[in-house]
Amino acid sequence: MKSHIPNPKPQIPTLMRHRFCFALVVVLLGAVPTHAQTKRAPRPGEVESDPIRCWWKADRSAIRVGERFTLVLTCGVIETPNIKVVPAVNQLEPGAISLTPFEAVAGNRHEDVVAPPWRYIQYEYAMRLLSEGFFGQDVNIPSLTVTYNLQAAGTTGSSEGRDQTYVLPPLPMRVLSIVPRSAADIRDASGQTFANVESRRNRATAAIVGASIAFAFAGVLAALALVRLAGRFRVRGAKVVRPLPAATVLRGAMAALRSARSDAARDGWTPALMSQAVAALRIAGAVALGRRVAQRHVTNVASGRVGQIEVRSGLLRRKRVLLSAATTPAALMAAIETSSGAASRETLQPILEALQLFSTAVYGRAGEADTVALSTAVDNAAAPVRRLWLRSLIPFGAARGAAVPSMPTRAGSAA
């Protein structure tokens, strides 16, 4: 009996069909993730970049056990009007960060630096290593995981994405031995030299000198303040006031004559203006004769009487002084008759004529004053008064001593 042996040839096309289908499925399945991972091309004005970047920086590459060193962590995050990266900074605080076997002793966060489209965040830590089993070895500051999320601005508001992580690579540190093998004791090396000591001594001396000068100025100011405060409660007694010089007296007389002449040209010669002109002429005549001019210092609220003119003196604190004189036409006439110089007659004669004319107008019978004659008399008398004033400005000149000092008066008393 013959056994039936199946012929394998008819199965070859079937196997080939199976292999073709499997390859097609693999190609199709492989094409899906490739298509899904295709990135969008950046639009005009956009730059393709990572949303966050962080890096370490240490102030040294080799440390000793127990020695403090500085470790700086800097992170740059994207911050634009459309997208914003928000890191979990609470995980980076000095009290929360974990970098075993290193220990964060202290630390602080510096102010952020914004350089669009980046915002840079920086932490500074004071680190140390206390383990004794790492002498002569390389110990890595462990990698750090920074959690962040993306916030995108939309038409309905900002949308926050899921939390993502950024892994900061480790930073190798070389651990040195505390002391050499042959050392018999532990020596603390100091970086201070004589130059440092001298520099600190100079700074201390300069600070002491500056403080002494400041205290001296403060003492002077305090003394002045106390003197001024005591002066308010002190009873002021009689005090001799320095009389005004002849130049100041003549300047006041000229100002009074000009003021009366100007007002008379506008309103006419009134009794008040004529009295003012008489007072100014008497003062000028007294200075020309070398006689006393009465001077009285008054307050700002005090007013003058008839026969007085007001003069203000002083640069910083202006004071009011009322001037008056008892010069008569007879005294001027006697001085002209006894004078032998032509210059004295030219000076005294216009003043005498003006004083006689104004005295008649003021103290004579009531009647209409000759306005033209009075104005002409003032103009004629103003010229010699001005010459007297110019001569009084000459140092050590004879005219400077013409004004005899007034009698002592009480400062601040009213006229």
Side-chain angles (χ1 to χ4, degrees), residues 143-146 165-169:
S143 59
L144 182 66
T145 301
V146 181
T165 57
Y166 177 88
V167 180
L168 190 66

Side-chain angles (χ1 to χ4, degrees), residues 296-311:
R296 184 172 293 275
H297 293 254
V298 297
T299 59
N300 292 329
V301 296
S303 59
R305 295 196 299 263
V306 177
Q308 293 178 329
I309 64 173
E310 178 182 333
V311 176

